[in-house]
Amino acid sequence: MPNLRRLHKLWLAAALAAPLTAAATTGQYAQMPIHDDEKHLLATADDLESYFNAHGLLLKDDRVLALVRRVGHSLRPQPTDDYVVYEFYVLRDPSPNAFALPNGSIYVHTGMLARLHDEDELAALLAHEITHVAGHHGLVDHRATKKASIAGLVLGGMSVWGGAIAIGLQASVFGFSRDLEQEADDHAASTLRNSRYDPHALPDLLDILGRDYDGLDPRVPTIWSTHPEIRARAETSRALVANLPRRERTVDGFEDVVSGLRAMTVQDYIRDEYPQTALALAEDSVARHPDDARTVQLLGDAWAGMGAQRRTDPSELTKSDKKQNRKDHRKTREQRLADELATEEGRTAYAENLSHAQDAYARALAIDPHFAAAHRGLAEVYEQQQRAPDAAREYLLYVRAAPDAEDRSIVVGRLKALTVKLQETTQ
Amino acid sequence: MSGAKAGIVVAGIVALGVATQALAEKTTEGFANGTTRPQSVALLPVKATVTRAKIVETEGLVDDSVKFGGEFNARMQAALTAKGYKVVVVDTDRINADPKLQEYVVETQRGFDDMMSKYKPKNMSKHMYKVGDSGRLLADYLHVDGLAFSTMSVTITAAGKAIFAGFVGGSTQGASANLEIVNGKTGELEAWFFGVALVTPGEKTDADLSDYVATLAARSTNRVPGADPSARIDVATSDEDTIEGAERALKR
């Protein structure tokens, strides 16, 4: 086996040598003619767009797409090969990820955009992915490792029950070999230096990617399976840009376009039961928009979504904690809540989380007394606190304030159940 | 064969039949007796995987997955319609033409995936598996009382691969499909059906693949009971009546 590994490394070194040398001497990558037996990789890369489209996963938000395309096209080089056509897509997926395919298609997840703070971090991300395309990393990697096809690379993370959350994880900002990822980081720093963007956004981006709020490392097939590696990459890139001048970051236009995705991503994480991540992202949003009722209400939703989990610092989690977290993650929300409420610690955490949620909803209503969604949030908190009359009152305020709300039938259903309870109490 | 031995054989066959049925379907009591069985379902895009496994690499054929996934959905629609369900097909064009629908579909699909990652057949009757509010909103939006999710997987192996896989423990050929039905009013999983098809090793034409798709669609729907409006229990109350009822209860 050691011989095979050595052979593999030699293979990789040989395959890497040509494009790396060309890039090192000119700053540009050379052409890389495609072999006949590799054409299926390009065909599959093209087909993936149809696949994502068929599942409704391509985000159609014109403003978001315009932002990503504008930044991407401003950074990309001229293609060296006719099989490369740069195109940028946004995938409706909350996981913090992006990936590049050898045909020039670059996909960024909504959950990635939601975590970025400014256009410069987006530029850093796209510069990294563009290097994978320009450097033909898909083909280099394929020649070196004879890895499975692109589809396997991109969809490989999806099991039979696999969710969209796993899409692209194997062909992600973490998916290539360590050498190719490092090359993409190095090239991204150089691309940023030669652009109007701040090169210091690159280590900031890698720091963002290294955060594992829910402490599920490393079993869940997410970026966090390479967590230590991403930290090392952040440090390497920090050293790389240390002597470069800082530039003012572009925040305003970016914030305006991306804030909707942040709300969507927080809701996604609540629904998908990654409550610590939802809470961290919601707090980050509130720090930026403390006077926005919708953002503050989202913080309430995130606290309510915590159930009976206590807030944890991911850096303090032991291996055994993470193992337990992974085990708990296989339970339904109700099962998990019931198990946690069986302990004193769980009951305390539950009461505290609901109290935080209540405070946030009250704050949202203080900012905007007509903000209907906060009434619904309060009603749900009161329901969980077994305060049926208060819950019914808040639901009534909600349905009166938002008569055309899309969830009206659900809320009316809850109101119906609460009415039965109230009638039973008074009889 | 003696009478006792024949009895054992018969009992064995009956047990095998019961076990096979238990493995191929699981429903809630309400679904089985019709009280919570939907009359209309939204058929979501199938998660289809068509894989041709070769000696050195496994090639996931995305275009085949999209194409045969479409065929599978069409057959599911026909099978469910034949059983009396009103079927609303949520296809690519429809999803991508309507951002609201796209949002509901993506959220519901993720909720469904999460639910199924936790699913254990023995707990089906406990009504503990739910897709979340997005599923209810989707059903509401499409005016249906049920959601139908499906997955289909076909793996084709080259003749030599099957032997090779035997040595290295790799994937072998096979085809299977699931159909899950979720209650649109509650978001709860009501039914799970499973079907398999045998796939012989060797190259397959598109016509062969279409045959597998047809078999899988038939086997994952043939145990689905027909829509039965007479058994369904729905107490219709207007929203306004409910709201006024709640206001009266609070005043007491």
Side-chain angles (χ1 to χ4, degrees), chain A residues 347-368:
Chain A
R347 287 191 291 275
T348 306
Y350 188 56
E352 285 175 3
N353 292 340
L354 288 177
S355 170
H356 283 304
Q358 190 181 339
D359 290 348
Y361 294 131
R363 215 171 110 199
L365 282 170
I367 295 167
D368 179 0

Side-chain angles (χ1 to χ4, degrees), chain A residues 208-260:
Chain A
I208 290 169
L209 292 168
R211 287 175 197 144
D212 169 20
Y213 301 106
D214 273 276
L216 291 165
D217 172 37
R219 288 290 177 79
V220 171
T222 70
I223 58 158
W224 300 305
S225 50
T226 52
H227 196 178
E229 205 170 296
I230 199 86
R231 283 203 198 117
R233 278 171 57 193
E235 290 315 310
T236 306
S237 68
R238 209 180 312 283
L240 199 68
V241 301
N243 295 324
L244 298 177
R246 287 185 181 273
R247 296 193 182 111
E248 192 180 340
R249 304 278 183 101
T250 306
V251 178
D252 288 349
F254 181 85
E255 194 56 36
D256 189 32
V257 174
V258 170
S259 59

Side-chain angles (χ1 to χ4, degrees), chain B residues 5 11 31 46 72 79 106 153 158 162 207 226:
Chain B
K5 278 184 184 170
F31 187 88
V46 60
F72 181 81
V106 173
S153 168

Side-chain angles (χ1 to χ4, degrees), chain B residues 162-198:
Chain B
I163 301 162
F164 182 76
F167 287 123
V168 300
S171 64
T172 53
Q173 71 281 353
S176 63
N178 302 319
L179 166 68
E180 289 89 5
I181 296 175
V182 164
N183 188 324
K185 302 279 180 204
T186 62
E188 286 176 10
L189 179 66
E190 292 275 2
W192 174 87
F193 299 95
F194 180 65
V196 292
L198 288 176

Side-chain angles (χ1 to χ4, degrees), chain A residues 366-412:
Chain A
I367 295 167
D368 179 0
H370 304 292
F371 190 63
H375 287 298
R376 180 190 159 146
L378 272 176
E380 286 172 345
V381 167
Y382 293 146
E383 234 187 320
Q384 291 181 77
Q385 290 172 335
Q386 312 293 328
R387 294 164 59 182
D390 292 331
R393 252 178 233 112
E394 291 298 331
Y395 278 135
L396 280 170
L397 286 169
Y398 177 70
V399 292
R400 292 294 186 213
D404 300 323
E406 58 190 27
D407 59 356
R408 185 179 170 90
S409 65
I410 295 174
V411 171
V412 169

Side-chain angles (χ1 to χ4, degrees), chain A residues 109-411:
Chain A
H109 289 197
T110 47
M112 181 78 251
L113 289 168
R115 289 176 186 229
L116 303 180
H117 300 94
D118 48 55
E119 196 172 305
D120 300 64
E121 288 176 354
L122 173 62
L125 175 76
L126 294 175
H128 174 102
E129 295 305 325
I130 285 167
T131 305
H132 283 317
V133 176
H136 311 286
H137 288 178
L139 295 178
V140 170
D141 209 30
H142 180 74
R143 286 176 193 178
T145 62
K146 289 289 173 197
K147 248 184 197 173
S149 67
I150 295 294
L153 216 63
V154 175
L155 304 174
M158 298 173 77
S159 62
V160 176
W161 308 124
I165 202 160
I167 286 177
L169 290 169
Q170 296 192 356
S172 62
V173 272
F174 320 88
F176 291 103
S177 70
R178 186 182 292 231
D179 292 339
L180 292 180
E181 290 301 343
Q182 191 57 56
E183 185 189 329
D185 288 347
D186 295 350
H187 233 260
S190 159
T191 304
L192 292 173
R193 189 189 59 210
N194 296 326
S195 73
R196 70 182 179 88
Y197 295 109
D198 182 9
H200 295 267
L202 181 64
D204 291 351
L205 168 74
L206 294 168
D207 283 341
I208 290 169
L209 292 168
R211 287 175 197 144
D212 169 20
Y213 301 106
D214 273 276
L216 291 165
D217 172 37
R219 288 290 177 79
V220 171
T222 70
I223 58 158
W224 300 305
S225 50
T226 52
H227 196 178
E229 205 170 296
I230 199 86
R231 283 203 198 117
R233 278 171 57 193
E235 290 315 310
T236 306
S237 68
R238 209 180 312 283
L240 199 68
V241 301
N243 295 324
L244 298 177
R246 287 185 181 273
R247 296 193 182 111
E248 192 180 340
R249 304 278 183 101
T250 306
V251 178
D252 288 349
F254 181 85
E255 194 56 36
D256 189 32
V257 174
V258 170
S259 59
L261 293 186
R262 288 217 181 87
M264 178 199 279
T265 302
V266 170
Q267 292 290 6
D268 284 345
Y269 277 113
I270 294 170
R271 270 190 295 267
D272 293 355
E273 293 175 54
Y274 291 86
Q276 311 265 356
T277 305
L279 185 55
L281 297 185
E283 284 179 334
D284 191 38
S285 287
V286 170
R288 276 178 249 189
H289 305 282
D291 300 323
D292 179 57
R294 166 83 181 114
T295 307
V296 176
Q297 178 246 331
L298 209 59
L299 178 64
D301 291 348
W303 273 114
M306 287 284 285
Q309 280 190 46
R310 83 186 155 79
R311 186 83 189 264
T312 51
D313 178 350
S315 64
E316 289 172 3
L317 293 173
T318 62
K319 271 189 177 176
S320 137
D321 291 335
K322 290 181 177 183
K323 195 176 170 188
Q324 186 59 44
N325 281 351
R326 290 193 297 270
K327 211 172 156 187
D328 289 345
H329 205 74
R330 291 196 289 269
K331 297 175 187 168
T332 65
R333 193 186 296 270
E334 288 77 11
Q335 278 175 317
R336 185 174 180 159
L337 183 63
D339 290 351
E340 284 165 344
L341 288 178
T343 67
E344 185 57 41
E345 189 190 12
R347 287 191 291 275
T348 306
Y350 188 56
E352 285 175 3
N353 292 340
L354 288 177
S355 170
H356 283 304
Q358 190 181 339
D359 290 348
Y361 294 131
R363 215 171 110 199
L365 282 170
I367 295 167
D368 179 0
H370 304 292
F371 190 63
H375 287 298
R376 180 190 159 146
L378 272 176
E380 286 172 345
V381 167
Y382 293 146
E383 234 187 320
Q384 291 181 77
Q385 290 172 335
Q386 312 293 328
R387 294 164 59 182
D390 292 331
R393 252 178 233 112
E394 291 298 331
Y395 278 135
L396 280 170
L397 286 169
Y398 177 70
V399 292
R400 292 294 186 213
D404 300 323
E406 58 190 27
D407 59 356
R408 185 179 170 90
S409 65
I410 295 174
V411 171

Side-chain angles (χ1 to χ4, degrees), chain B:
Chain B
M1 193 184 287
S2 71
K5 278 184 184 170
I8 291 168
V9 171
V10 169
I13 291 169
V14 169
L16 190 66
V18 170
T20 307
Q21 184 169 354
L23 286 173
E25 69 174 281
K26 198 80 194 171
T27 65
T28 60
E29 201 182 322
F31 187 88
N33 66 28
T35 51
T36 58
R37 192 186 313 153
Q39 307 305 307
S40 53
V41 289
L43 185 60
L44 278 90
V46 60
K47 275 195 168 179
T49 317
V50 177
T51 307
R52 294 177 195 271
K54 294 179 179 171
I55 299 284
V56 288
E57 64 178 57
T58 299
E59 188 180 353
L61 296 176
V62 176
D63 54 343
D64 273 358
S65 299
V66 173
K67 179 182 164 192
F68 292 106
E71 270 190 40
F72 181 81
N73 252 26
R75 289 191 175 274
M76 297 293 273
Q77 180 191 7
L80 293 170
T81 304
K83 285 175 183 284
Y85 295 92
K86 179 193 159 203
V87 181
V88 175
V89 179
V90 185
D91 59 18
T92 305
D93 292 342
R94 188 165 182 173
I95 293 172
N96 288 299
D98 182 345
K100 192 81 221 166
L101 178 63
Q102 182 189 19
E103 197 53 32
Y104 286 150
V105 169
V106 173
E107 284 174 8
T108 304
Q109 190 66 58
R110 228 187 21 260
F112 172 77
D113 292 335
D114 184 57
M115 175 182 80
M116 293 312 291
S117 72
K118 293 162 183 172
Y119 169 69
K120 287 181 183 161
K122 65 176 183 182
N123 290 332
M124 169 78 92
S125 59
K126 294 180 186 168
H127 297 272
M128 60 194 286
Y129 299 113
K130 295 171 189 163
V131 294
D133 282 354
S134 52
R136 299 164 73 182
L137 292 172
L138 175 63
D140 218 26
Y141 191 71
L142 294 172
H143 307 293
V144 292
D145 53 14
L147 302 172
F149 299 83
S150 56
T151 50
M152 179 198 78
S153 168
V154 181
T155 302
I156 300 155
T157 349
K161 171 80 179 183
I163 301 162
F164 182 76
F167 287 123
V168 300
S171 64
T172 53
Q173 71 281 353
S176 63
N178 302 319
L179 166 68
E180 289 89 5
I181 296 175
V182 164
N183 188 324
K185 302 279 180 204
T186 62
E188 286 176 10
L189 179 66
E190 292 275 2
W192 174 87
F193 299 95
F194 180 65
V196 292
L198 288 176
V199 178
T200 52
E203 290 300 312
K204 301 292 172 213
T205 62
D206 279 6
D208 294 331
L209 281 167
S210 290
D211 284 346
Y212 292 132
V213 166
T215 306
L216 289 174
R219 290 188 180 163
S220 52
T221 51
N222 61 12
R223 290 186 183 82
V224 178
D228 183 3
S230 64
R232 178 108 186 169
I233 299 175
D234 278 324
V235 181
T237 321
S238 79
D239 286 2
E240 273 314 309
D241 286 348
T242 303
I243 291 166
E244 283 168 16
E247 282 171 337
R248 276 196 303 275
L250 279 172
K251 280 178 191 159
R252 279 183 203 162

